[in-house]
Amino acid sequence: MHLKIRLKCRKYEIWAIWLFSFVSGLFLLHFSIALILINKEVPQSRGMLYPRESETREVRSLDGIWNFVRSDQANPTQGVREEWYSKDLSKSGPTIPMPVPASYNDITTDNLRDHVGTVWYDRKFFAPRSWAVDQRVWLRFGSVHYEAYVWVNGQKVVKHEIGHLPFEAEVTHLLKYGAENRVTVMCDNALIQTTVPQGRITELPNDEGMTIVQSYTFDFFNYAGIHRSVHLYTTPKTFIEEVVVTTNLSKDNVGGEVLYSVKFNGSAINEADNALYVRAQLYDREGKLVANGTSDAQLSGSLQVDNVNPWWPYLMHPEPGYLYQLEVKLHASNDELLDVYRLKVGLRTLSWSNATFQINGRPVYFRGFGRHEDADVRGKGLDNALMVRDFNLLKWIGANAYRTSHYPYSEESMQFADEHGIMIVDECPSVDAENYNQELLGKHKSSLEQLIHRDRNHPSVVMWSIANEPRTREMNADSYFQLVANLTRSLDKTRPITAAIATPWTDDKAGRFLDIISFNRYNAWYSNTGRLDMVTKKVVEEAVAWNKKYNKPVIMAEYGADTLEGLHLQPAYVWSEEFQTEVFARHFKAFDILRKKGWFIGEFVWNFADFKTAQSYTRVGGNKKGVFTRARQPKASAHLLRKRYFALARELDDSSFPEDLFTYIADMGKTENA
Ligand code: GCB
């Protein structure tokens, strides 16, 4: 089975590392240089509509407390060989309770945090008797990181690789209706040179003998487990499998158009006549029907909307995030209603040039953040309380965008961004890509295919980020990124492509395949540490150089400084709140110089909140570049950033200041008669 191959690869990798130390670094380098990358097709995702109830569908959550076993690190395939999935996990050994959704790493008090390799989950559930008739049943996982193998009642159902993305499989034929069933999941967190993201597994001597060690270059903790909700849902025998929506607006933004295209799954009711059709109805926020129509024979069609309420970003319009509801009804040729699916739709247009990015014909300036899905205890597990708090903070601070650094975020948060008018730069899970090889390319492309398949209908998604800090000076980086960008463009022509690049502009080979250049740089932190007088000019010079090299719009996608909340040092000194505030102010100055040039279109602070990383002597409990603490409370810099973001919104989008933006200090001779 595939797992064994992976483990062999891992062994091979370990062997290769040993060899590497005997021979020389150059040998392997030349070996990888010699590789020619071939453009192979990627597997096409199917289905995966977000599970929603309707008059034809039922949804059941399998979230809760599951049983959990960690494998012996030295024997990761034991459970597969001994077929632990064929009976309750508790019969194969002691289990512990494990919450789903959550990362498993920080739940216990022992060394589970640093476990490398496979872990097992199982739980029981009932399938109602009513589901046995004229239904199909699907088992869907929002995300299991990094690789998942799933069995139902001992039968293999689905395998999925690459975390942070959903997968599903039909289980109709495997369930016992009106009886108890068991779902078993094996999850493998190992990252190697051909996973996305990449990592290394090495065997190192410890006090007891040898142990397996996972390492990676990226700067966030490799949390693992069943990270997002698990659902069972039913569909009719013939059902709506996919809905793709694109929208247009007239030049004056008064007329709107919703183009939809539907795929069904299943045989038509009457085999002799399988001419199914779709009725599409569009409702506004108040539930009023504003457009309806019938599809063509290919199940595609368009709806015209008069006096449209376009989807606008937060603070660009008094009513941001306006969403309509699209109701899609699949009918048999005899008009019988087969299936109903509803989704939210925002009508907006995107356009971009070599200097601007526009939404609904108006130029956008991004005021945003790089973020992480990260929190105390639950790690990367979906947490609605945290998500709502984060959006409240984003709005409080006046941000209009964030990048899903460095992997796809939960579907629930994408829906929330739609509702609140927060623009998303949607990033795939490729971080620090290096040693470009054919297998990596295939998985990288697949991660983008899956991401676009999942997120293509979200109005909040305004850009695809195809990588974070890839090693773009390396040999093969140009052909690799050309292929990745080509695939992305072929899957979605309606959104521009970017990547967050840290390679110096002089050496970069990927920028020419992008529509928008994003660069990450830590002036006064990683370079010229502490030198606040070496920020503004350097930021301006670098942005100008990127623009000159590629003649494309430029965003600063990361800047910042680690800051320990409560540490105050005047004059500003690294790690203090004063220093972070001052670093920001020096960047703001640069951004204002750059904005005047006409092609600088956004600033993203690194990071929204403090987050956990692998253990390192440069990290005190994790990365502390947050404007908010990990508990989501503001540092001093948050108050400064808030003033800037609202000032930009007022200058550029004519929005007003919140009443509490400026604290009263003194009359200053202005307000006497106010
Ligand atoms: C970066 C990375 C980000 C890190 C950040 C840092 O360039 O993109 O993942 O967390 O720097 O703080 O070092």
Side-chain angles (χ1 to χ4, degrees), residues 218-220 372 403 405-406 431-432 468-469 500 502 520-522 525-526 558 562 606-607 611 613 619 623 625:
F218 57 82
D219 184 39
F220 55 93
H372 267 295
R403 176 166 61 113
S405 40
H406 297 309
V431 201
D432 297 2
N468 181 71
E469 299 197 357
N520 299 348
R521 195 69 61 214
Y522 289 86
W525 191 257
Y526 294 126
E558 287 185 22
D562 282 88
W606 189 259
N607 187 283
F611 58 92
T613 61
R619 298 281 177 257
N623 187 307
K625 294 194 185 70

Side-chain angles (χ1 to χ4, degrees), residues 146-158:
Y146 168 79
E147 189 170 16
Y149 296 75
V150 181
W151 294 261
V152 166
N153 297 329
Q155 302 294 310
K156 179 137 189 237
V157 172
V158 63

Side-chain angles (χ1 to χ4, degrees), residues 292-312:
N292 68 89
T294 304
S295 72
D296 60 20
Q298 282 72 48
L299 307 187
S300 300
S302 72
L303 300 172
Q304 307 302 319
V305 190
D306 297 331
N307 295 318
V308 69
N309 275 306
W311 188 92
W312 285 104

Side-chain angles (χ1 to χ4, degrees), residues 253-305:
N253 290 338
V254 172
E257 184 182 38
V258 176
L259 297 149
Y260 62 89
S261 137
V262 172
K263 275 193 194 154
F264 78 96
N265 179 325
S267 55
I269 295 299
N270 175 356
E271 291 290 345
D273 170 12
N274 63 2
L276 304 183
Y277 69 92
V278 161
R279 287 282 304 158
Q281 327 231 49
L282 194 73
Y283 296 88
D284 69 11
R285 247 188 203 172
E286 277 67 52
K288 200 174 119 224
L289 181 69
V290 293
N292 68 89
T294 304
S295 72
D296 60 20
Q298 282 72 48
L299 307 187
S300 300
S302 72
L303 300 172
Q304 307 302 319
V305 190

Side-chain angles (χ1 to χ4, degrees), residues 354-356 519 540 542-548 551-555 594-602:
N354 63 350
T356 61
F519 74 99
V540 172
E542 179 164 9
V544 167
W546 281 109
N547 175 259
K548 234 184 180 158
N551 189 27
K552 290 174 184 173
V554 176
I555 289 174
L594 289 166
R595 286 198 297 128
K596 297 204 181 87
K597 300 194 183 289
W599 43 257
F600 188 76
I601 61 163

